Amino acid sequence: MKKTPSGTAVGVEDPYEHAGVCDHATGDGKCRYAFEFPEQDPEFAAERRAEEFRCPVADGDWAWADCPHYRCRQRDRECARCGLEERRRAHEDARPLLEEHHLAYDSDEDVGHEITVYLCRWCHAKVHDSWARVDDDVNPDPEALATAEDRRSSEQSELAFESAAERFDADGSDE
């Protein structure tokens, strides 16, 4: 199993099996990286510019692992392992339910790409602290469900309609 630079497991053998389309690829098969950051890799940018910024992976010439600037960060706001959905509380600094988990690091010598998924903090701990895998078929941890349900209940109570008659006594003072 792949390891982090500090030696803990990342929960996968091959990060590319869990990676999707490059963050720099546009919907029409162009390389946004070469267009927006040509100073970062002038040779790469010149090659892409000569081919009208065509992404070689989108055309089937390369695999994602072949591209020197491939990056894939998951955008789904649910745990890739147990499916727990994020529930954020507005105007609060409560700890998020989901954390970004690196399957590969851009400093990793044998991969060289940033590939991330979201894991709930309970699954994240299990992946790093044991032999748990990102692709395990598991249900959310009971504590995770309780925390998510508490947040959902808070959202529901904020959305509830309460008339002025219910909020104030007949004399106009708060109950």
Side-chain angles (χ1 to χ4, degrees), residues 9-162:
V10 298
V12 298
E13 296 294 331
D14 182 6
Y16 295 98
E17 289 180 8
H18 301 274
V21 174
C22 178
D23 293 349
H24 303 298
T26 65
D28 61 348
K30 305 288 185 188
C31 178
R32 189 179 306 119
Y33 181 88
F35 183 78
E36 292 180 357
F37 306 106
E39 70 282 357
Q40 299 293 327
D41 188 344
E43 184 179 326
F44 178 79
E47 289 172 9
R48 296 298 99 230
R49 187 173 32 260
E51 297 184 29
E52 298 178 0
F53 296 99
R54 178 185 68 81
C55 172
V57 180
D59 284 348
D61 297 342
W62 294 357
W64 289 122
D66 298 331
C67 180
H69 301 291
Y70 174 72
R71 180 184 75 185
C72 181
R73 298 175 69 198
Q74 179 188 5
R75 301 289 181 229
D76 296 336
R77 297 300 287 182
E78 71 176 30
C79 179
R81 187 167 183 263
C82 73
L84 185 76
E85 292 183 21
E86 178 65 279
R87 291 195 110 60
R88 298 293 306 253
R89 289 183 172 169
H91 313 295
E92 282 190 26
D93 289 334
R95 184 176 177 189
L97 298 179
L98 299 180
E99 300 171 337
E100 194 170 32
H101 174 68
H102 287 82
L103 300 178
Y105 293 78
D106 59 8
S107 62
D108 196 358
E109 293 175 10
D110 66 332
V111 177
H113 297 127
E114 182 179 17
I115 303 171
T116 66
V117 296
Y118 280 106
L119 293 176
C120 70
R121 58 187 194 227
W122 296 269
C123 286
H124 200 189
K126 289 173 185 168
V127 166
H128 280 300
D129 295 339
S130 70
W131 289 102
R133 301 179 59 82
V134 170
D135 55 2
D136 288 343
D137 186 20
V138 297
N139 291 321
D141 188 275
E143 184 180 348
L145 287 173
T147 303
E149 181 57 28
D150 177 55
R151 291 183 182 189
R152 190 189 73 75
S153 295
S154 294
E155 288 172 5
Q156 294 298 317
S157 68
E158 289 175 12
L159 296 174
F161 178 77
E162 188 176 24

